[in-house]
Amino acid sequence: MREFASGLLLLTGALFCLITGIGMLRTKDTYAKLHIGTKCLTVGASLVLLGAGLRLPTGLGTLKVVLMVILLWITNPLATNALARGHFLNSRLEE
């Protein structure tokens, strides 16, 4: 049962990452690309990490993976916000 859940999480996370890549190629706007990258890739990478964490034999390894997911959920939106703000300020200076 644990391997099935792990495989399902890994497959779903890989699908989210694939959808993110397709969305990045289809959009032209920088802000739309940042939005796609933040939302979909955060969920996709989290699912892949959780799926890999379920395959670990010890509880300590799973705890480390959960901490990585929490760190990812905190830092990815903050980094995207900083990138969007930098792009906005740079585009204002060019005008």
Side-chain angles (χ1 to χ4, degrees), residues 3-25:
E3 279 124 23
F4 175 74
S6 173
L8 188 65
L9 285 171
L10 287 169
L11 188 64
T12 308
L15 185 65
F16 265 94
C17 292
L18 178 68
I19 291 170
T20 300
I22 292 170
M24 293 287 240
L25 291 174

Side-chain angles (χ1 to χ4, degrees), residues 14-93:
L15 185 65
F16 265 94
C17 292
L18 178 68
I19 291 170
T20 300
I22 292 170
M24 293 287 240
L25 291 174
R26 291 187 56 132
T27 58
K28 303 291 184 210
D29 184 30
T30 303
Y31 297 113
K33 286 185 179 192
L34 286 172
H35 178 74
I36 291 168
T38 302
K39 304 301 179 208
C40 295
L41 201 55
T42 301
V43 173
S46 298
L47 290 174
V48 168
L49 279 171
L50 289 174
L54 281 178
R55 293 205 181 241
L56 294 174
T58 63
L60 185 60
T62 306
L63 178 65
K64 288 179 184 178
V65 169
V66 169
L67 289 175
M68 283 190 275
V69 169
I70 291 171
L71 184 67
L72 179 70
W73 278 74
I74 292 171
T75 58
N76 196 6
L78 291 174
T80 303
N81 185 23
L83 285 170
R85 183 172 169 81
H87 181 267
F88 175 73
L89 292 175
N90 189 32
S91 65
R92 283 185 49 194
L93 289 175

